[in-house]
């Protein structure tokens, strides 16, 4: 009898649909889903909040090495509501899809880590070697428990090179820009398709060209392009891939 892969790595560029796919698969399989991008976002948000220059590699690295980041399945409680009201001045998303509560040194930063300023600066922060070293070590510890789906850019190549199933999820820039624009508009943020395309292209370029753990498919990753697929169709295709991996591990 075949068994499900215990560790599933999903990598790919921004807005390729990693989060929504991982969430659906995790619910279906009873696995734990961990989004590593939130850790890089938490470091970036902390640097911005402390008015540390993003160009100051030593200072940003020191933040990454000293803050305690926690990423937990989202629960809407009084603490969250207070944090939203206290620290997010603009319209707050009615974010039923928020999957995780992110805390830094015990402070709830779940909404701040998704703000556009973090989007614009996170790729520079995550290119720093010391930042990656600190995050990768924590991510490996988290994955040790097994039955995990981890999403990011370097999960299949660096964080979990022995993952039993690796999916590299892609979609065209045009489609990804449209998706991210729809996400932003739903949060009450105004943005044009042109701006979204530029931002995504910039982030793709930095993520793919950095010297440490660049965004690229692992040699043994299975590619899935979902430009023309709905979420449900993507899930069906991913389940086929998991079965394929299961056969290989049997
Ligand atoms: O959700 P989205 O795809 O826009 O981004 P994310 O997964 O939250 O990741 C934000 C940024 O963190 C990426 O653009 C990368 O620069 C960085 N990241 C990384 O370098 N390595 C990872 N494993 C995950 C994210
Ligand atoms: O995590 P990542 O940045 O890779 O992407 P995501 O946040 O899962 O997906 C970005 C947006 O595209 C979300 O609003 C998804 O619901 C949407 N999406 C879609 O419309 N069709 C797909 N096949 C995949 C994602």
């Amino acid at each position: 009898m075949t068994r499900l892969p215990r560790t599933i790595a999903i990598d790919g560029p921004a807005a390729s649909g990693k989060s929504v796919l991982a969430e659906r698969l995790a619910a279906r399989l009873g696995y734990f889903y961990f989004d590593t991008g939130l850790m890089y976002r938490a470091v970036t948000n902390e640097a911005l909040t402390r008015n540390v220059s993003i160009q100051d590699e030593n200072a940003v690295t020191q933040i990454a090495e000293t803050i305690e980041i926690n990423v937990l399945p989202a629960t809407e409680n009084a603490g969250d509501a207070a944090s939203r009201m206290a620290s997010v001045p603009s319209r707050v998303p009615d974010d039923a899809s928020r999957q995780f509560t992110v805390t830094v040194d015990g402070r709830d930063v779940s909404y701040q880590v998704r703000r556009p300023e973090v989007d614009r600066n996170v790729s520079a922060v995550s290119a720093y070697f010391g930042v990656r070293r600190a995050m990768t070590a924590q991510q490996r510890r988290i994955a040790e428990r097994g039955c995990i789906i981890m999403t990011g850019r370097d999960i299949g190549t660096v964080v979990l090179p022995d993952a039993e199933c690796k999916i590299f999820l892609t979609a065209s820039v045009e489609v990804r820009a449209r998706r991210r624009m729809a996400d932003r508009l739903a949060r009450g943020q105004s943005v044009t398709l042109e701006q979204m395309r530029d931002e995504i292209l910039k982030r793709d370029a930095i993520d793919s060209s950095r010297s440490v753990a660049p965004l690229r498919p692992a040699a043994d990753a299975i590619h899935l392009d979902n430009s023309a697929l709905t979420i449900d169709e993507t899930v069906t295709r991913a389940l086929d891939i998991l079965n394929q991996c299961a056969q290989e591990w049997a």
Side-chain angles (χ1 to χ4, degrees):
M1 197 176 97
T2 55
R3 67 166 177 84
L4 285 169
R6 275 172 51 80
T7 39
I8 300 166
I10 304 179
D11 290 302
S16 55
K18 300 178 297 296
S19 310
V20 71
L21 173 61
E23 185 187 27
R24 298 278 185 101
L25 290 177
R28 188 136 175 173
L29 307 178
Y31 275 32
F32 178 65
Y33 158 39
F34 190 85
D35 176 355
T36 61
L38 291 173
M39 299 185 82
Y40 293 97
R41 287 175 178 275
V43 175
T44 307
N45 183 61
E46 195 61 19
L48 292 169
T49 306
R50 293 187 194 181
N51 284 322
V52 164
S53 163
I54 296 296
Q55 273 67 51
D56 187 341
E57 180 167 356
N58 286 337
V60 174
T61 301
Q62 209 203 353
I63 290 176
E65 287 171 343
T66 51
I67 59 174
E68 188 188 324
I69 305 170
N70 267 303
V71 180
L72 305 160
T75 46
E76 184 70 24
N77 59 32
D80 291 343
S83 140
R84 284 200 276 163
M85 292 174 74
S87 49
V88 183
S90 58
R91 196 176 137 189
V92 167
D94 177 22
D95 199 350
S97 66
R98 182 165 73 97
Q99 296 157 322
F100 296 103
T101 294
V102 185
T103 65
V104 167
D105 296 334
R107 275 174 292 117
D108 188 333
V109 293
S110 312
Y111 290 93
Q112 289 89 328
V113 297
R114 287 276 173 208
R115 63 192 163 117
E117 202 184 354
V118 172
D119 278 344
R120 285 193 292 273
N121 288 286
V122 64
S123 287
V125 167
S126 60
Y128 293 146
F129 173 79
V131 171
R132 300 207 73 81
R133 186 176 50 192
M135 299 302 112
T136 299
Q138 293 181 41
Q139 290 158 13
R140 287 188 178 139
R141 270 199 301 278
I142 290 162
E144 275 168 12
R145 67 184 85 175
C147 293
I148 190 162
I149 304 177
M150 204 171 250
T151 59
R153 302 292 187 284
D154 61 339
I155 310 306
T157 50
V158 174
V159 180
L160 305 175
D162 297 328
E164 293 179 11
C165 193
K166 300 179 186 178
I167 297 177
F168 195 77
L169 192 65
T170 54
S172 70
V173 171
E174 195 62 30
V175 166
R176 291 188 287 126
R178 282 187 191 285
R179 287 177 183 168
R180 206 28 70 82
M181 186 172 81
D183 288 345
R184 290 272 183 91
L185 293 177
R187 291 179 191 178
Q189 295 160 1
S190 62
V191 68
T192 65
L193 188 59
E194 206 62 40
Q195 285 168 329
M196 229 38 277
R197 197 187 294 116
D198 281 359
E199 218 178 88
I200 281 185
L201 280 172
K202 257 189 213 134
R203 209 134 65 85
D204 283 358
I206 304 176
D207 291 347
S208 310
S209 65
R210 67 185 174 217
S211 56
V212 207
L215 165 66
R216 62 175 173 79
D220 51 351
I222 298 174
H223 293 242
L224 174 53
D225 184 327
N226 67 9
S227 305
L229 300 180
T230 63
I231 294 172
D232 285 344
E233 288 166 343
T234 309
V235 172
T236 303
R237 295 279 281 273
L239 286 169
D240 289 343
I241 293 174
L242 295 190
N243 277 325
Q244 193 181 323
C245 294
Q247 309 283 342
E248 283 164 19
W249 278 84

